Amino acid sequence: MTVHGHSRGRAAPRFLSRSRTRSSAAQTQLAARDTESVTVFAGVFAGVRILTGFVFLWAFLDKTFGWSYATPSGKGWIDGGSPTKGFLGAVAVGPLQSTFHGMAGDVWVDWLFMLGLLAIGIAVTSGVVLRLAAVAGTVMMALMWAGEWPPAQHLSTGAPSMSSNPVVDYHVVYAAILIALAVGHAGRVWGLGRRWERMAFVRDNRWLG
């Protein structure tokens, strides 16, 4: 009886030890999966950042050199063409129609627009100054949204505006992506974000992060 009692007394600790080991192993597996998920998400987020930056860079390059996509060959910025005259001059809807017509082709508007495309493209692609890039990009997208004025169903000429959504179009989506990239510090993965944030003048001026 004594022997059996002693044996039963030692069985419980072994059972608890095995249970704790299994629980610890399960927690380790869950932690590993969470880490893997975070890593995958960070990689996808970084990929979205690079693709978004390339959209702005491509627009700058095509409008500068006239690569026969949105800008015909021979009508690029370096050929004397205006990168804003075509879009702003063709605005045919919205409360800012006359304002955009007056701005179309102005030298200062061309320079501001092109430098904006270049700066936003470089910043987003490299992963630095994402906060400023998000602000500048959102302002640019807002102005372009106003130029197309999605809420209108018809142009000033009476023709259909071909708007597919009165509020959310691709300009709004791009602006949301830029803000998300900045808030999520997307430049830290596959970018120069971490090095940039460690610089003394950036640490002293957080708005440059």
Side-chain angles (χ1 to χ4, degrees), residues 21-185:
T21 300
R22 291 175 182 174
S23 177
S24 178
Q27 290 178 359
T28 301
Q29 290 178 353
L30 288 175
R33 290 178 182 176
D34 289 342
T35 301
E36 183 179 357
S37 297
V38 170
T39 302
V40 171
F41 177 79
V44 172
F45 210 37
V48 171
R49 190 201 80 238
I50 294 172
L51 291 175
T52 303
F54 183 68
V55 169
F56 285 88
L57 282 179
W58 179 264
F60 170 80
L61 293 172
D62 183 61
K63 292 179 182 299
T64 298
F65 300 105
W67 283 347
S68 298
Y69 286 91
T71 306
S73 178
K75 293 187 177 181
W77 198 24
I78 61 172
D79 300 312
S82 170
T84 64
K85 187 174 182 178
F87 176 76
L88 295 180
V91 172
V93 67
L96 300 178
Q97 180 178 345
S98 60
T99 301
F100 286 141
H101 286 174
M103 295 168 57
D106 284 356
V107 175
W108 70 272
V109 177
D110 289 345
W111 274 93
L112 189 62
F113 177 63
M114 294 299 283
L115 289 179
L117 287 177
L118 179 61
I120 294 170
I122 292 176
V124 175
T125 303
S126 62
V128 301
V129 205
L130 291 182
R131 293 181 182 179
L132 282 180
V135 172
T138 298
V139 171
M140 181 181 291
M141 292 298 104
L143 290 172
M144 295 179 72
W145 183 92
E148 295 190 7
W149 200 250
Q153 295 180 331
H154 297 86
L155 303 179
S156 57
T157 60
S161 66
M162 304 304 290
S163 174
S164 59
N165 190 305
V167 179
V168 181
D169 70 345
Y170 65 98
H171 297 107
V172 176
V173 174
Y174 278 136
I177 291 174
L178 289 172
I179 294 172
L181 294 174
V183 173
H185 301 284

